[in-house]
Amino acid sequence: MGIQTWTFIIVGLTFALYIGIAIWSRASSTKEFYVAGGGVSPLANGLATAADWMSAASFLGMAGIIAFSGYDGSVYLMGWTGGYVLLALLLAPYLRKFGKFTVPDFIGDRYYSNVARTVAVIAALFVSFTYVAGQMRGVGVVFSRFLDVEVNTGVFIGMAVVLFYAFLGGMKGITYTQVAQYCVLIFAFMVPAIFISLMATGNPVPQIGMGSAGEDGVYLLDKLDGLMKELGFTAYTDGSKSTTDVFFITAALMLGTAGLPHVIIRFFTVPKVSDARKSAGYALFFIAILYTTAPAIAVFARTNLMETVQDTPYNEIPDWFTKWEETGLIAWTDKNGDGKIQYLPGSAINGKKPMFSELRGPVGQRLISNSSLTRNELYVDRDITVLANPEIAGLPNWIIALVAAGGLAAALSTAAGLLLVISTSISHDLIKKQFAPEISDKKELLIARLSAVLAVLVAGYFGINPPGFVASVVALAFGLAASSFFPAIVMGIFSKRMNREGAITGMIAGLAITTYYIARFKLGWIGHPETSTSNDWWFGISPEGFGTVGMIVNFFLAMLISRFTPPPPKEVQEIVENIRIPSGVGDALEH
C-alpha cells in the first residue's frame, strides 16, 4: 500500500481511539472538567504529563533544530529537561498541597487579590496562545504532506478533532486521551530511530548508534562534521551561539517550564501529594526516552539529507523530495541552470518562508519568487526533519505513516491541555471568581466549553499564520512563562513577606518587557524589522532567551516593592508556612 493509504488507516484508527476515549470519559462536573475529578493514578498521570509536555516542539521541532543547529541545539535539550526536573522537585508538590484548580487560582488566593488573579489570567492566555500556535503549525505540516491537503486545511482538521475531546471531556477526557497519545507518539518516534540506527551503524540503540562507526569504519559524527565542512558549514559539533545567549536561552526554557500552567495543572489531578511526586518521576522517565533519542535522529537526518540531495540532478531526485516541495516546505533555486541541487550554507530566500510563482523551472521545479541570490541553494523547513527522515532513509510506508500519526498525537495532546488552560482561566478565574461568584456548576461548565471553542478558533489562526518554526515559537512561550509566572509562584511558596503589590508589579513588568522584546525582534511589529539583525539585540540576547531578563526584572521589582508596602495578612503567611510541608493533603479544594 502507498504512504497515503497507510496514513489514512493509522491516523484514522488513532483518531477513532481518541474520540472513543473522550466519549467514554466525558466530564459531568466542573471538577471532572478542570482536574479529572482528582482521582487519576500516578502512572496514568505520568503518561498524560509526558504527552502534555512532549508537544510538536519536542516531536517535530526539537530534532529539527538540533539537526540544523548542531551543538547550538543542545540548549533545547538542557533547558526543557532541566526545567521539568525543576518543576517536579521545586514546585509541583507545594502547588498540589495548596489544592487549587489553576495557576491563576493559586496566585489570586496567595496574593489575596483579584487584580493579581486577573494579571495571572492574562499571562496564562499569552503563554497558552503562543504555545498553541506551534502545535497547530505542527498539525498543518503533518496533514499537508501525508493527507495531501493544504497546510491550512490540515490545521482546520486538527482544530475539529482537538475541540471535540477537549469540549466533551475536559481534563478527564484529555487525561486518558493523552495516555493513548503518549503510547502512539513514543512508538512512532522510536521505531524509525531504531531502524535507521541499525541501517547506519548496525546498532539498534539510537543513543549509542549516534556515536558509533558505520560500515566504512568512520564514526557517524566525524562523518557529519566532514560533510558539513566540505560544503562550507560550521562543523556539526561546533557551536556558533555566544555563551551569553546559550545561558539565557537555557535559563528561559528551564524557568519557563516551571511556570507552564498546562503542565502544572496536571499535578492537581492526582489524589495526594505523594502521588504528585510519583507521577512526576514516571513522567520524567517517559520524557527521557524521547529526549535522549532526539539528538540521534537529528544526526541521522542531517547525514541522510546531505548525502541524498547534494549534487543530485533534479530529475533523479527521489519522490519524497518533490512531495515535500509541493507542500512548500522544501524549495530549491537553480540559478546557474545546471539542474543539480546544491546544499550550501544560508537559505535561498534569506531565512524567509518560500513564496512560489505559478511557473515551473526548466527541469520541473517550483520557482521561488522571493529569492534574490545568484547561486543554487536549498531551503528545508526544520519542522519536516522527523517526518521526512523515514522517507529519506527508504523505510517501509507503514513506518512513514506511523510517524505522521505520532506527530499528530504530540501536537494534539499539548494543544488540548493548552485549550483547557485557556477555557478554565476564563470560566473559573474570571467569571466564577470575579464576575459571577454565584453561578451554578452547570453554567460554569457551559462557559468553559464555549471558551474552548473560542480558544481553538484563535489557535487555528496562529497555526495558519505562525511567527516561526515550531520549536522557536514554543520557546517564546517559555520565555513569557519565565518572565511572568515563575517568580510569582516561587516567591508565593517560599517567601512569607512577598505581598500582592510586589507580585502584581513584578508580573506586569516581566511580561511587558518580554512581550515588547519579542514583538520587536522576533515578530517585527515594532521598529524597523527590515533592517533589524541580531546585532541589534540587547546584550546579545536572542528573543528566545530574553524571558530570563524579564524574570530578573520581575524578581527585582517584586522584592523591591514588597519591602516598601505592608506585609501579607497573618492568615496568608500561615498558608505559606503550611504548604512548605507538602504532605497530609487529600482532594483539591472545592471552588
Short mmCIF file of all heavy atoms in Angstrom, two decimals, residues 117-153:
data_model
loop_
_atom_site.label_atom_id
_atom_site.label_comp_id
_atom_site.label_asym_id
_atom_site.label_seq_id
_atom_site.Cartn_x
_atom_site.Cartn_y
_atom_site.Cartn_z
N ARG A 117 -5.03 37.93 40.33
CA ARG A 117 -5.65 36.83 39.60
C ARG A 117 -5.84 37.19 38.13
O ARG A 117 -5.58 36.39 37.23
CB ARG A 117 -7.00 36.48 40.24
CG ARG A 117 -7.62 35.18 39.71
CD ARG A 117 -9.06 35.03 40.24
NE ARG A 117 -9.13 35.18 41.67
CZ ARG A 117 -8.93 34.21 42.55
NH1 ARG A 117 -8.63 33.00 42.10
NH2 ARG A 117 -9.02 34.44 43.83
N THR A 118 -6.28 38.42 37.88
CA THR A 118 -6.51 38.87 36.50
C THR A 118 -5.21 38.95 35.72
O THR A 118 -5.14 38.54 34.55
CB THR A 118 -7.21 40.24 36.49
OG1 THR A 118 -8.45 40.13 37.21
CG2 THR A 118 -7.49 40.70 35.07
N VAL A 119 -4.17 39.48 36.34
CA VAL A 119 -2.86 39.55 35.68
C VAL A 119 -2.38 38.14 35.35
O VAL A 119 -1.84 37.89 34.26
CB VAL A 119 -1.84 40.27 36.58
CG1 VAL A 119 -0.43 40.18 35.97
CG2 VAL A 119 -2.23 41.73 36.77
N ALA A 120 -2.60 37.20 36.28
CA ALA A 120 -2.19 35.81 36.03
C ALA A 120 -2.99 35.20 34.89
O ALA A 120 -2.45 34.43 34.09
CB ALA A 120 -2.37 34.98 37.30
N VAL A 121 -4.27 35.54 34.79
CA VAL A 121 -5.09 35.05 33.68
C VAL A 121 -4.55 35.57 32.35
O VAL A 121 -4.42 34.83 31.37
CB VAL A 121 -6.56 35.46 33.86
CG1 VAL A 121 -7.35 35.21 32.58
CG2 VAL A 121 -7.20 34.70 35.01
N ILE A 122 -4.23 36.87 32.32
CA ILE A 122 -3.68 37.47 31.09
C ILE A 122 -2.37 36.78 30.71
O ILE A 122 -2.13 36.45 29.54
CB ILE A 122 -3.47 38.98 31.29
CG1 ILE A 122 -4.84 39.68 31.44
CG2 ILE A 122 -2.70 39.58 30.11
CD1 ILE A 122 -4.74 41.13 31.86
N ALA A 123 -1.51 36.55 31.72
CA ALA A 123 -0.23 35.87 31.44
C ALA A 123 -0.48 34.45 30.93
O ALA A 123 0.19 33.99 29.99
CB ALA A 123 0.62 35.83 32.71
N ALA A 124 -1.45 33.75 31.53
CA ALA A 124 -1.77 32.38 31.09
C ALA A 124 -2.25 32.37 29.64
O ALA A 124 -1.90 31.47 28.86
CB ALA A 124 -2.82 31.76 32.00
N LEU A 125 -3.03 33.38 29.27
CA LEU A 125 -3.53 33.46 27.90
C LEU A 125 -2.39 33.76 26.93
O LEU A 125 -2.31 33.18 25.84
CB LEU A 125 -4.62 34.52 27.79
CG LEU A 125 -5.92 34.22 28.58
CD1 LEU A 125 -6.91 35.37 28.43
CD2 LEU A 125 -6.56 32.92 28.11
N PHE A 126 -1.50 34.68 27.30
CA PHE A 126 -0.34 34.99 26.47
C PHE A 126 0.49 33.73 26.22
O PHE A 126 0.84 33.40 25.08
CB PHE A 126 0.55 36.05 27.16
CG PHE A 126 0.28 37.46 26.73
CD1 PHE A 126 -0.80 38.16 27.23
CD2 PHE A 126 1.11 38.10 25.83
CE1 PHE A 126 -1.06 39.46 26.84
CE2 PHE A 126 0.87 39.40 25.43
CZ PHE A 126 -0.22 40.08 25.93
N VAL A 127 0.83 33.04 27.31
CA VAL A 127 1.67 31.85 27.21
C VAL A 127 0.98 30.77 26.40
O VAL A 127 1.56 30.16 25.49
CB VAL A 127 2.01 31.32 28.62
CG1 VAL A 127 2.71 29.96 28.53
CG2 VAL A 127 2.88 32.31 29.37
N SER A 128 -0.29 30.52 26.70
CA SER A 128 -1.00 29.41 26.08
C SER A 128 -1.22 29.63 24.59
O SER A 128 -1.06 28.71 23.78
CB SER A 128 -2.34 29.17 26.80
OG SER A 128 -2.13 28.85 28.15
N PHE A 129 -1.60 30.85 24.21
CA PHE A 129 -1.84 31.10 22.79
C PHE A 129 -0.53 31.06 21.99
O PHE A 129 -0.50 30.59 20.84
CB PHE A 129 -2.54 32.45 22.59
CG PHE A 129 -4.03 32.38 22.78
CD1 PHE A 129 -4.67 33.19 23.70
CD2 PHE A 129 -4.80 31.49 22.03
CE1 PHE A 129 -6.05 33.11 23.88
CE2 PHE A 129 -6.17 31.41 22.21
CZ PHE A 129 -6.80 32.22 23.12
N THR A 130 0.56 31.53 22.60
CA THR A 130 1.85 31.45 21.91
C THR A 130 2.27 29.99 21.74
O THR A 130 2.72 29.57 20.67
CB THR A 130 2.94 32.20 22.71
OG1 THR A 130 2.51 33.53 22.94
CG2 THR A 130 4.25 32.23 21.94
N TYR A 131 2.07 29.22 22.80
CA TYR A 131 2.45 27.80 22.77
C TYR A 131 1.59 27.03 21.78
O TYR A 131 2.09 26.20 21.00
CB TYR A 131 2.26 27.22 24.18
CG TYR A 131 3.12 26.03 24.50
CD1 TYR A 131 3.69 25.89 25.76
CD2 TYR A 131 3.34 25.02 23.58
CE1 TYR A 131 4.48 24.78 26.08
CE2 TYR A 131 4.12 23.91 23.89
CZ TYR A 131 4.67 23.80 25.14
OH TYR A 131 5.44 22.71 25.44
N VAL A 132 0.30 27.29 21.78
CA VAL A 132 -0.61 26.51 20.94
C VAL A 132 -0.40 26.81 19.45
O VAL A 132 -0.71 25.98 18.60
CB VAL A 132 -2.08 26.74 21.35
CG1 VAL A 132 -2.67 28.00 20.71
CG2 VAL A 132 -2.95 25.53 20.99
N ALA A 133 0.16 27.98 19.15
CA ALA A 133 0.46 28.31 17.75
C ALA A 133 1.41 27.27 17.16
O ALA A 133 1.25 26.83 16.01
CB ALA A 133 1.07 29.70 17.64
N GLY A 134 2.42 26.87 17.95
CA GLY A 134 3.36 25.86 17.49
C GLY A 134 2.70 24.52 17.26
O GLY A 134 3.03 23.79 16.31
N GLN A 135 1.72 24.17 18.10
CA GLN A 135 1.05 22.87 17.95
C GLN A 135 0.20 22.84 16.68
O GLN A 135 0.18 21.86 15.94
CB GLN A 135 0.17 22.58 19.17
CG GLN A 135 0.82 22.83 20.52
CD GLN A 135 2.24 22.31 20.59
OE1 GLN A 135 2.51 21.15 20.26
NE2 GLN A 135 3.17 23.15 21.00
N MET A 136 -0.51 23.91 16.44
CA MET A 136 -1.36 23.95 15.25
C MET A 136 -0.52 23.95 13.97
O MET A 136 -0.90 23.35 12.97
CB MET A 136 -2.27 25.18 15.29
CG MET A 136 -3.35 25.14 16.35
SD MET A 136 -4.57 23.82 16.08
CE MET A 136 -4.06 22.61 17.29
N ARG A 137 0.63 24.62 14.01
CA ARG A 137 1.52 24.57 12.85
C ARG A 137 2.01 23.14 12.63
O ARG A 137 2.07 22.66 11.49
CB ARG A 137 2.72 25.50 13.04
CG ARG A 137 3.77 25.32 11.92
CD ARG A 137 4.92 26.29 12.04
NE ARG A 137 6.04 25.86 11.21
CZ ARG A 137 6.13 26.04 9.90
NH1 ARG A 137 5.15 26.63 9.25
NH2 ARG A 137 7.19 25.62 9.24
N GLY A 138 2.33 22.43 13.70
CA GLY A 138 2.77 21.05 13.58
C GLY A 138 1.71 20.18 12.94
O GLY A 138 2.00 19.33 12.08
N VAL A 139 0.45 20.36 13.34
CA VAL A 139 -0.66 19.61 12.76
C VAL A 139 -0.75 19.90 11.26
O VAL A 139 -0.91 18.99 10.44
CB VAL A 139 -1.99 19.96 13.46
CG1 VAL A 139 -3.18 19.36 12.71
CG2 VAL A 139 -1.97 19.47 14.89
N GLY A 140 -0.65 21.17 10.89
CA GLY A 140 -0.74 21.55 9.48
C GLY A 140 0.38 20.95 8.65
O GLY A 140 0.16 20.50 7.52
N VAL A 141 1.60 20.92 9.21
CA VAL A 141 2.75 20.36 8.49
C VAL A 141 2.52 18.88 8.21
O VAL A 141 2.77 18.38 7.10
CB VAL A 141 4.04 20.56 9.31
CG1 VAL A 141 5.18 19.73 8.73
CG2 VAL A 141 4.44 22.03 9.32
N VAL A 142 2.03 18.14 9.21
CA VAL A 142 1.80 16.70 9.03
C VAL A 142 0.74 16.44 7.98
O VAL A 142 0.92 15.65 7.04
CB VAL A 142 1.40 16.04 10.37
CG1 VAL A 142 1.03 14.58 10.14
CG2 VAL A 142 2.53 16.15 11.38
N PHE A 143 -0.40 17.11 8.12
CA PHE A 143 -1.50 16.87 7.19
C PHE A 143 -1.15 17.28 5.77
O PHE A 143 -1.57 16.64 4.80
CB PHE A 143 -2.75 17.63 7.66
CG PHE A 143 -3.57 16.88 8.68
CD1 PHE A 143 -3.92 17.48 9.87
CD2 PHE A 143 -3.99 15.59 8.44
CE1 PHE A 143 -4.67 16.80 10.81
CE2 PHE A 143 -4.74 14.89 9.37
CZ PHE A 143 -5.09 15.50 10.57
N SER A 144 -0.41 18.37 5.63
CA SER A 144 -0.11 18.88 4.30
C SER A 144 0.65 17.86 3.46
O SER A 144 0.44 17.77 2.25
CB SER A 144 0.68 20.18 4.39
OG SER A 144 1.97 19.95 4.95
N ARG A 145 1.50 17.09 4.10
CA ARG A 145 2.30 16.11 3.34
C ARG A 145 1.59 14.76 3.21
O ARG A 145 1.48 14.21 2.12
CB ARG A 145 3.66 15.91 4.04
CG ARG A 145 4.44 14.67 3.58
CD ARG A 145 4.80 14.73 2.11
NE ARG A 145 5.46 13.51 1.68
CZ ARG A 145 4.84 12.46 1.16
NH1 ARG A 145 3.52 12.48 1.05
NH2 ARG A 145 5.52 11.39 0.79
N PHE A 146 1.08 14.25 4.32
CA PHE A 146 0.65 12.86 4.32
C PHE A 146 -0.81 12.64 3.94
O PHE A 146 -1.20 11.55 3.57
CB PHE A 146 0.95 12.22 5.67
CG PHE A 146 2.42 12.13 5.95
CD1 PHE A 146 3.02 12.98 6.86
CD2 PHE A 146 3.21 11.23 5.27
CE1 PHE A 146 4.37 12.91 7.10
CE2 PHE A 146 4.58 11.16 5.50
CZ PHE A 146 5.16 12.00 6.42
N LEU A 147 -1.63 13.68 4.07
CA LEU A 147 -3.01 13.55 3.62
C LEU A 147 -3.25 14.34 2.34
O LEU A 147 -4.38 14.45 1.87
CB LEU A 147 -3.98 14.00 4.72
CG LEU A 147 -3.96 13.15 6.00
CD1 LEU A 147 -5.08 13.60 6.94
CD2 LEU A 147 -4.10 11.67 5.70
N ASP A 148 -2.17 14.89 1.82
CA ASP A 148 -2.21 15.59 0.52
C ASP A 148 -3.25 16.72 0.53
O ASP A 148 -4.06 16.85 -0.38
CB ASP A 148 -2.52 14.60 -0.60
CG ASP A 148 -2.13 15.16 -1.98
OD1 ASP A 148 -1.29 16.07 -2.01
OD2 ASP A 148 -2.70 14.71 -2.99
N VAL A 149 -3.22 17.53 1.61
CA VAL A 149 -4.10 18.69 1.69
C VAL A 149 -3.25 19.92 1.95
O VAL A 149 -2.07 19.83 2.27
CB VAL A 149 -5.15 18.52 2.82
CG1 VAL A 149 -6.05 17.33 2.56
CG2 VAL A 149 -4.46 18.39 4.19
N GLU A 150 -3.85 21.09 1.79
CA GLU A 150 -3.15 22.33 2.10
C GLU A 150 -2.86 22.41 3.60
O GLU A 150 -3.58 21.82 4.42
CB GLU A 150 -4.00 23.53 1.69
CG GLU A 150 -4.17 23.68 0.19
CD GLU A 150 -2.87 24.07 -0.50
OE1 GLU A 150 -2.07 24.78 0.13
OE2 GLU A 150 -2.65 23.64 -1.65
N VAL A 151 -1.80 23.14 3.96
CA VAL A 151 -1.45 23.30 5.37
C VAL A 151 -2.64 23.86 6.15
O VAL A 151 -2.97 23.39 7.25
CB VAL A 151 -0.22 24.22 5.52
CG1 VAL A 151 0.03 24.53 6.99
CG2 VAL A 151 1.01 23.57 4.91
N ASN A 152 -3.32 24.85 5.58
CA ASN A 152 -4.46 25.46 6.28
C ASN A 152 -5.57 24.46 6.52
O ASN A 152 -6.20 24.44 7.59
CB ASN A 152 -5.00 26.64 5.47
CG ASN A 152 -4.00 27.77 5.37
OD1 ASN A 152 -2.91 27.69 5.92
ND2 ASN A 152 -4.36 28.84 4.68
N THR A 153 -5.84 23.61 5.53
CA THR A 153 -6.86 22.58 5.70
C THR A 153 -6.48 21.61 6.81
O THR A 153 -7.32 21.19 7.61
CB THR A 153 -7.07 21.80 4.38
OG1 THR A 153 -7.37 22.72 3.33
CG2 THR A 153 -8.19 20.78 4.51
#
